[in-house]
Amino acid sequence: MHPSPSVIIFTTCSGLGFGLLAWLGFGLPDVTGWVAFAFFAVAYLLAVGGLLASTFHLGHPERAMKAFSQWRSSWLSREGVAAVAALLVMGAYAGLLIFFDIRIMVLGWIGAVLSVLTVYATSMIYAQLKTVPRWNSILTPALLLAISISGGALLAGQITEAQVLLPIAAIIQLIWWTRGDLALMQSGTDMATATGLGKIGRVRAFEPPHTGTNYLLRELVYQVGRKHAIKLRVIAFVLGYALPVLLILLPFGHALAALAVLSHLAGIATSRWLFFAEAEHVVGLYYGKR
Amino acid sequence: MTMLPETTTRKLGLVIDLDTCVGCHACVISCKGWNTENYGAPLSDQDPYGANPSGTFLNRVHSYEVQPEVGAAQLVHFPKSCLHCEDAPCVTVCPTGASYKRAEDGIVLVNESDCIGCGLCAWACPYGAREMDAAEGVMKKCTLCVDRIYNENLPEIDRVPACVRTCPAGARHFGDFNDPESHVSQLTAERGGMDLMPEQGTNPVNKYLPPRPKDEIDQIDILAPFLEPVVQEPKGFLGWLDKALEKI
């Protein structure tokens, strides 16, 4: 799949932003006034910035409002509805907390649950696709939720929790990678079922439909960079999980914490690039590619 | 609304005969022609006369080599367009309701004025039937020539999809799969019409007829074994060379 920068920025930043909002909704850390303002500002910048970035790859962003209508069938629509609901509820909660020093616990809890649901809906956009076996697994929502909640803990300064949650996310990441490498093979979809010609013999792509490339090959059969996959996985693992855990095990300091957050963000962005670049769409089989 | 209809009154679709298709790509051209000039946004080309041409097509013809366990390899030309699936995954993922499956005839269509061009439907389709038009930024797909099949301004013979009308080999058939007496239902039953990627659970309406088994030819010419080969051993210079090389 084509690793579109807008979608990588969107899932990485929004995931982290909504993760932080979830912690703030539960009153962790228990802040008020200008300190609370700083925390909520970071969370909103990440969450809203990511959502805005996601509209950059649309053919017609001016019609984006229509995307809230099909929540009954579409995970993309559900994500939009959940995101707006989470941002509105958390906005009310944050406003009361910052400017009036009033904490309405229930409002925070609802906002936190909506924030987590938003990340879940994002993950289901990918996990629902049978056409991309690497994504089509319960492990995909598990991974994206684990990254969001552990990253949120890191950003919220919940060091003890982050020390437990980051390693859990790292383990899910490793399992996700390992399963993903076998997913296309185990999906049961191959050139034989794609063409229905497997009963006659071994099928080989002889000639593509056109001499040039096309939308399908550019969007769904992106193969550039897969050769560096192992190196990039190591980079993603070290920056995203190992280094932040190491940094927060050291005696606490704001500089170290900031470094841990930046390292985590860079690592997750790398992991998310691989999430797309390594994913094989079954339509590639029609072109004898994967 | 992007919920799929429970059932459709009619089930319009195509039968594509892989035994008959000669791979001439006439269906590709007629499809592009009709759908550029008629319903919806035109099918644009980018850099059409340059070094790196590409464009939007609703129908593409692949060619495959199939090598049986014994015998010669076969070449199969393989036209592919939207299969108008009964459980179309492209419809349910659409966030805006632009994609829909018609309850009256089962045709899967895109309302282009509602499409935001997010591309998720193209991701959800296992067949590569949907292509985002690079000029218009909306999703394009086969309409089963909905603007031909009901068009009373056209002579009756032309009220079929452009690809079916143009196919010089008669490899494409159009009809109602809900009617067991229809041409397409009977062809599917007689020839073992098959689904593409049945494991994807899309329940496609379009059916593909597999190539018929090839004839067995034991001997090309029954008199051939009685003919003596003209030259049995090389003579002259070639004979010397042959012997010399043997000795080395």
Side-chain angles (χ1 to χ4, degrees):
Chain A
M1 304 296 286
H2 176 66
S4 156
S6 72
V7 179
I8 294 171
I9 294 170
F10 155 54
T11 57
T12 308
C13 292
S14 283
L16 192 58
F18 282 111
L20 176 55
L21 278 180
W23 286 96
L24 292 172
F26 283 113
L28 300 164
D30 186 7
V31 283
T32 53
W34 288 107
V35 184
F37 180 80
F39 271 105
F40 279 103
V42 169
Y44 270 80
L45 277 177
L46 286 167
V48 178
L51 287 169
L52 284 178
S54 77
T55 63
F56 294 162
H57 82 286
L58 297 180
H60 284 275
E62 76 280 6
R63 299 175 187 158
M65 289 300 281
K66 291 178 191 282
F68 295 110
S69 64
Q70 304 301 310
W71 49 271
R72 273 184 284 182
S73 72
S74 165
W75 279 108
L76 181 49
S77 188
R78 286 171 196 163
E79 182 211 32
V81 173
V84 170
L87 291 173
L88 288 177
V89 172
M90 287 306 283
Y93 173 74
L96 291 170
L97 197 60
I98 294 164
F99 300 110
F100 302 100
D101 206 10
I102 301 168
R103 183 188 297 278
I104 303 176
M105 293 296 276
V106 181
L107 205 58
W109 294 340
I110 294 171
V113 170
L114 285 169
S115 300
V116 173
L117 279 178
T118 305
V119 178
Y120 177 70
T122 307
S123 68
M124 284 307 292
I125 296 171
Y126 306 104
Q128 69 176 331
L129 296 172
K130 283 184 94 169
T131 50
V132 185
R134 192 182 284 272
W135 294 348
N136 188 220
S137 158
I138 187 78
L139 285 170
T140 300
L143 176 67
L144 266 62
L145 282 170
I147 291 173
S148 168
I149 292 167
S150 61
L154 189 63
L155 217 54
Q158 304 303 299
I159 300 302
T160 328
E161 287 84 350
Q163 281 166 354
V164 179
L165 291 170
L166 275 172
I168 292 175
I171 290 165
I172 299 175
Q173 175 80 80
L174 289 178
I175 299 171
W176 191 87
W177 275 332
T178 315
R179 180 211 159 264
D181 289 342
L182 300 170
L184 180 61
M185 205 181 70
Q186 290 174 346
S187 71
T189 299
D190 53 23
M191 281 184 80
T193 69
T195 61
L197 299 170
K199 289 174 206 100
I200 304 173
R202 197 170 48 79
V203 184
R204 189 173 74 93
F206 184 78
E207 206 174 33
H210 292 85
T211 50
T213 184
N214 62 38
Y215 168 76
L216 301 170
L217 291 171
R218 285 189 299 265
E219 179 75 7
L220 308 172
V221 200
Y222 182 90
Q223 289 177 311
V224 183
R226 281 191 198 161
K227 64 177 176 175
H228 295 307
I230 297 295
K231 280 181 208 164
L232 286 168
R233 281 184 186 184
V234 173
I235 292 170
F237 192 84
V238 170
L239 289 181
Y241 308 101
L243 194 58
V245 170
L246 208 65
L247 288 170
I248 56 175
L249 280 174
L250 296 172
F252 180 79
H254 275 101
L256 283 181
L259 199 61
V261 169
L262 286 178
S263 168
H264 175 72
L265 200 57
I268 298 308
T270 312
S271 157
R272 204 53 51 81
W273 188 87
L274 285 167
F275 181 89
F276 291 98
E278 282 196 286
E280 308 95 338
H281 192 286
V282 294
V283 79
L285 296 166
Y286 284 108
Y287 292 83
K289 296 176 179 185
R290 51 168 295 183
Chain B
M1 179 50 74
T2 52
M3 301 294 278
L4 288 163
E6 288 276 319
T7 52
T8 60
T9 317
R10 295 203 291 160
K11 215 164 92 178
L12 298 183
L14 302 175
V15 160
I16 293 167
D17 189 344
L18 297 178
D19 196 60
T20 310
C21 177
V22 296
C24 70
H25 291 238
C27 55
V28 178
I29 302 307
S30 64
C31 168
K32 178 112 174 174
W34 179 267
N35 288 294
T36 285
E37 293 155 11
N38 293 281
Y39 165 86
L43 305 173
S44 70
D45 290 314
Q46 280 67 45
D47 197 16
Y49 305 106
N52 192 19
S54 90
T56 312
F57 286 82
L58 310 183
N59 178 30
R60 294 179 184 266
V61 179
H62 296 250
S63 296
Y64 298 101
E65 178 200 79
V66 190
Q67 177 64 62
E69 284 284 317
V70 282
Q74 298 179 24
L75 189 60
V76 180
H77 301 294
F78 195 97
K80 187 162 58 62
S81 52
C82 173
L83 294 103
H84 297 280
C85 303
E86 287 186 72
D87 297 314
C90 55
V91 169
T92 51
V93 298
C94 176
T96 68
S99 280
Y100 60 105
K101 184 172 175 71
R102 307 206 319 173
E104 63 267 37
D105 53 18
I107 300 178
V108 177
L109 289 175
V110 176
N111 177 356
E112 289 175 6
S113 58
D114 277 353
C115 177
I116 57 172
C118 70
L120 189 57
C121 56
W123 290 12
C125 172
Y127 309 110
R130 286 170 170 252
E131 300 190 14
M132 179 105 74
D133 189 84
E136 291 286 336
V138 293
M139 198 52 74
K140 299 296 296 182
K141 71 175 293 301
C142 161
T143 66
L144 213 59
C145 283
V146 69
D147 50 350
R148 285 177 68 100
I149 59 176
Y150 299 115
N151 190 340
E152 291 181 1
N153 295 319
L154 296 176
E156 205 170 335
I157 194 172
D158 286 334
R159 289 179 213 161
V160 291
C163 57
V164 175
R165 184 74 182 93
T166 206
C167 179
R172 304 180 71 101
H173 308 268
F174 165 70
D176 178 12
F177 287 85
N178 261 357
D179 173 9
E181 298 303 312
S182 72
H183 181 47
V184 287
S185 295
Q186 289 185 342
L187 264 174
T188 305
E190 276 168 32
R191 297 271 309 279
M194 57 187 182
D195 291 345
L196 305 185
M197 291 186 185
E199 72 285 351
Q200 286 276 335
T202 54
N203 214 349
V205 169
N206 285 12
K207 302 290 177 207
Y208 281 75
L209 305 181
R212 294 182 177 92
K214 295 290 177 199
D215 288 340
E216 292 293 329
I217 302 172
D218 295 331
Q219 284 177 338
I220 291 167
D221 185 344
I222 52 166
L223 293 176
F226 299 105
L227 294 172
E228 287 288 315
V230 179
V231 177
Q232 287 195 309
E233 281 198 359
K235 288 173 184 156
F237 173 71
L238 283 179
W240 170 80
L241 193 64
D242 184 39
K243 279 177 196 149
L245 287 170
E246 289 276 340
K247 280 178 187 164
I248 296 170

